Every structure is written in structure tokens, then in C-alpha cells.
Amino acid sequence: MATGVDGTEGYLLKKDMDGELPKTPEEAIAIQNSRSPDGWDIPLYDKDGETVIGVFHVGGD
């Protein structure tokens, strides 16, 4: 269970947490360099795993 930016509790999907997976070391570096230092948002889901009920922030401050 995870807590969204507004305090809503829900679930995260592994594919959203993993993000885009690189195929080469060069792709890994490019993905890392393209990410914002403030982090990024991923969907927060209801227990059905389909209904988006909020946003979870990953990384940053």
C-alpha cells in the first residue's frame, strides 16, 4: 500500500514503478539524464488495480 500526494491510500503497479527499462547501458544513461531532479508522478490505484484514485510522487525532495 502507498500514500498519494494528497494522503489517499492506494496501490502501485510494478510496471509504473519500474518505468521504461533500458535495453543498453547507453539507453540507461539517457533515461537517467532525462528524468527531472524533482522526480515524477505515477498513478495510484484502487484495490481493483484499474481505477486511478490519485497520484504517487517518486524521487525528488
Side-chain angles (χ1 to χ4, degrees), residues 32-57:
Q32 186 67 27
N33 289 339
S34 71
R35 288 195 172 149
S36 169
D38 296 327
W40 64 97
D41 294 336
I42 61 172
L44 185 69
Y45 294 91
D46 194 6
K47 63 183 174 184
D48 66 10
E50 294 180 10
T51 305
V52 177
I53 59 172
V55 174
F56 181 81
H57 188 76

Side-chain angles (χ1 to χ4, degrees), residues 20-37:
E20 181 184 354
L21 298 178
K23 293 179 181 68
T24 66
E26 292 78 17
E27 281 187 18
I29 291 169
I31 291 169
Q32 186 67 27
N33 289 339
S34 71
R35 288 195 172 149
S36 169

